[in-house]
Amino acid sequence: MALDSIDKKLLFLLQNDCKKTTAALSLKLDLSVTAVYERIKKLEREGIIDKYVVLVNRSKVEKGFVVFCHLKLIQHTKEFLTKFESEVVKLKEVLECHHVSGDYDYILKILLKDMQAYREFLVNKLTALEHIGSTHSTFMISEVKNTTVIEI
């Protein structure tokens, strides 16, 4: 689906505040409420709008300790990759898991309360997974930029 300039502006507005009413969006886009509604439905049907979410303030729910864990598997067989991926997605502390190139096989973004909680997670959950060769943890000092907005 080719996106026109109105679709792009609509996506930008929704990414910044998806709770805006179609009436409010129609004023910003200079379209009728019906036209905005139809555009949103089309973007949803086409899979361009994947889902709507709430962004939670990590520190307000005691999950302000962010760890980026670089991980190597002992082998790069399809069986080891598949097994690891099927297990890591079950870990609620892991927000993101990316299969990457370079010195490590995966990078995980992990959210916890504090260093002690990370130690317990590392010892009892992460290193309990099969086929892990090594890990390297990096701790976030401060967040300079964090956005979910994709400029189109």
Side-chain angles (χ1 to χ4, degrees), residues 71-122:
L71 192 137
K72 282 185 191 179
L73 299 182
I74 55 175
Q75 286 185 7
H76 298 108
T77 64
K78 182 178 180 181
E79 173 193 345
F80 283 22
L81 295 171
T82 304
K83 176 70 173 164
F84 170 76
E85 289 175 6
S86 70
E87 293 299 317
V88 77
V89 297
K90 297 175 189 173
L91 300 174
K92 64 180 174 58
E93 298 87 350
V94 176
L95 261 60
E96 298 176 23
C97 176
H98 303 275
H99 190 186
V100 297
S101 63
D103 292 338
Y104 294 93
D105 299 315
Y106 292 91
I107 298 174
L108 281 55
K109 182 178 180 181
I110 305 166
L111 242 56
L112 302 119
K113 180 180 179 180
D114 54 24
M115 180 63 82
Q116 179 60 34
Y118 180 61
R119 183 184 186 288
E120 288 173 20
F121 169 78
L122 189 64

